[in-house]
Amino acid sequence: MMGAGLIKIRGDKCWRDLTCMNYHYETQPVPNPLAYYMHRNPGWFHQFETLVNHFIELIAPFFIFMGRRMCIINGILQLLFQVLLILSGNLSFLNWLTIVPSIACLDDASLSFLFSSKDGSAKHQVSKIQRQTSTGERPTRSYGFYIRQALHISLGILIAYLSVPVVLNLVSARQVMNASFNPLRIVNTYGAFGSVTKDRTEVIIQGTSSLDPKDPNAVWEEYEFNCKPGNLTRRPCVISPYHYRLDWLMWFAAFQTYEQNEWIIHLAGKLLANDPTATSLLAFNPFQEKAPPRWIRGEHFRYKFTRIWGTHSAEGKWWIRKRIGPYFPPVNLQGLKKYFQSRSWPLPSTPSKQE
């Protein structure tokens, strides 16, 4: 699981038995179309993927300290790895940010083909300095050079000192992820998918205009989010590096309870009033051109990818689902009044009274 601000304990045995990739493509926050096909790769291929993941994340980074060539190899491996993650999922801007420090592994010579070599160009100036150095002519060093050197060394010492608790946490049997260890927050631990969910569950928000939410004949209509799974026939989206934060939060909410995610009840209140600030975050509002719903409820479903050549995919379905049960009970604006007041939330107003 992944998410800023959450503290998780590592130790998922699927990283040891090499089965994590059997689940990742289907259960990641917001799958994309390629993830649908990658999920159906054979088991041995998923094991190979997990081994490659271990090599690139645990071994390759040490190439940085093994000379120029090995450092460049690490940079290339990290870049290719992040590109693969970008292609196979919508992990927002995380992979793009990881690419930035990886570029530092590629020196001027390895990137020189990207720049013009005309006289006066940056590449030409760098080549001139390199020739002077190779012939024994040392460029003149100003006071600024020594000041920068002192700052670099001081910063290195500071980072090393602040990293001590981070390293101790790294080798701990109960490693904490997504946590900071000092008020400066310069160094911290971050671990995407320290644990991998084995089942994908989704919270589906539904509304009805029925007076009685317990009426078996009540018609419940589903709200559709911009990217997260909902409609079984909707193709998984491609949004990276853009980030739909609400869709991401719904992924977390699905394997927790609504008591742990009170914001989802706040969202339900907004939808009961057809609040435009809330409905603008959705792909489809079934009550857009009519009166707001009288009741909103949350239903909990287990989602799985369809088989590529199976019956369900032939019907145009990307997903199949099975109801787990209610996520939160039917609520209306009148019933939410005290709940909102106790949390100092303004009660949404609706254009037509339906209480």
Side-chain angles (χ1 to χ4, degrees):
M1 303 171 193
M2 62 188 299
L6 293 183
I7 296 179
K8 301 291 182 184
I9 301 297
R10 288 180 183 270
D12 196 322
K13 67 176 184 178
C14 74
W15 290 117
R16 295 189 294 274
D17 61 25
L18 306 181
T19 59
C20 278
M21 297 307 294
N22 292 26
Y23 313 101
H24 164 71
Y25 296 112
E26 184 176 69
T27 63
Q28 63 180 302
V30 185
N32 69 3
L34 185 59
Y36 174 82
Y37 297 99
M38 294 288 284
H39 178 67
R40 293 303 177 188
N41 281 323
W44 64 265
F45 187 82
H46 287 315
Q47 288 184 318
F48 173 72
E49 287 179 307
T50 309
L51 280 173
V52 170
N53 180 87
H54 290 342
F55 174 77
I56 292 178
E57 293 193 354
L58 300 178
I59 298 175
F62 290 97
F63 291 178
I64 294 173
F65 309 105
M66 299 172 64
R68 174 182 178 271
R69 183 171 298 177
M70 295 302 289
C71 183
I72 292 174
I73 290 175
N74 170 66
I76 293 172
L77 288 175
Q78 299 298 337
L79 289 170
L80 292 176
F81 183 53
Q82 297 306 317
V83 169
L84 179 60
L85 291 175
I86 290 169
L87 292 175
S88 62
N90 290 301
L91 298 176
S92 68
F93 43 79
L94 299 177
N95 305 119
W96 297 86
L97 290 178
T98 307
I99 284 175
V100 175
S102 299
I103 295 175
C105 295
L106 309 178
D107 59 15
D108 294 342
S110 62
L111 296 175
S112 62
F113 71 95
L114 298 173
F115 302 92
S116 170
S117 57
K118 295 180 179 179
D119 288 350
S121 65
K123 180 178 178 180
H124 179 263
Q125 295 297 326
V126 170
S127 299
K128 184 178 179 180
I129 294 172
Q130 289 174 337
R131 284 195 300 271
Q132 290 174 345
T133 304
S134 63
T135 57
E137 298 178 33
R138 304 189 65 179
T140 303
R141 292 179 176 177
S142 63
Y143 287 112
F145 169 82
Y146 294 104
I147 292 173
R148 287 194 299 273
Q149 287 287 84
L151 287 174
H152 293 164
I153 294 171
S154 300
L155 181 60
I157 293 173
L158 175 63
I159 296 297
Y161 172 73
L162 294 177
S163 297
V164 171
V166 180
V167 174
L168 292 177
N169 174 71
L170 183 65
V171 298
S172 170
R174 291 182 61 79
Q175 183 186 138
V176 178
M177 61 186 289
N178 301 326
S180 295
F181 295 84
N182 61 81
L184 297 177
R185 297 183 180 272
I186 295 176
V187 295
N188 53 64
T189 58
Y190 178 79
F193 301 101
S195 298
V196 175
T197 50
K198 307 304 186 296
D199 291 308
R200 178 175 205 95
T201 59
E202 293 289 346
V203 178
I204 303 299
I205 297 179
Q206 302 173 338
T208 183
S209 296
S210 174
L211 291 172
D212 182 6
K214 296 181 180 179
D215 183 354
N217 295 318
V219 177
W220 290 91
E221 299 182 78
E222 297 185 3
Y223 290 86
E224 191 74 20
F225 288 75
N226 282 313
C227 209
K228 90 174 190 70
N231 186 335
L232 303 180
T233 61
R234 189 176 71 163
R235 181 177 65 88
C237 67
V238 177
I239 55 169
S240 180
Y242 191 71
H243 181 46
Y244 288 124
R245 187 166 183 266
L246 179 57
D247 292 51
W248 194 279
L249 289 174
M250 289 294 292
W251 179 75
F252 282 111
F255 47 80
Q256 297 172 338
T257 65
Y258 76 87
E259 291 91 347
Q260 295 171 294
N261 297 271
E262 292 186 344
W263 61 266
I264 204 168
I265 304 300
H266 187 268
L267 174 64
K270 294 278 191 177
L271 296 179
L272 282 165
N274 259 351
D275 186 288
T277 60
T279 57
S280 66
L281 301 175
L282 304 177
F284 174 68
N285 172 15
F287 301 90
Q288 186 68 44
E289 301 297 332
K290 49 188 177 181
R294 287 188 170 91
W295 297 89
I296 290 283
R297 71 181 183 184
E299 291 288 282
H300 208 186
F301 288 88
R302 179 173 290 107
Y303 272 64
K304 295 185 73 68
F305 276 139
T306 60
R307 295 190 176 276
I308 296 175
W309 304 112
T311 304
H312 296 292
S313 62
E315 297 171 352
K317 295 180 180 178
W318 293 81
W319 300 94
I320 55 174
R321 74 182 186 185
K322 182 178 181 180
R323 184 176 182 271
I324 299 172
Y327 184 79
F328 64 84
V331 295
N332 64 1
L333 283 178
Q334 181 63 30
L336 289 177
K337 190 172 183 179
K338 289 184 178 179
Y339 187 89
F340 273 54
Q341 288 175 345
S342 67
R343 289 154 178 79
S344 300
W345 297 343
L347 188 69
S349 59
T350 175
S352 59
K353 266 203 176 280
Q354 297 183 8
E355 300 177 357

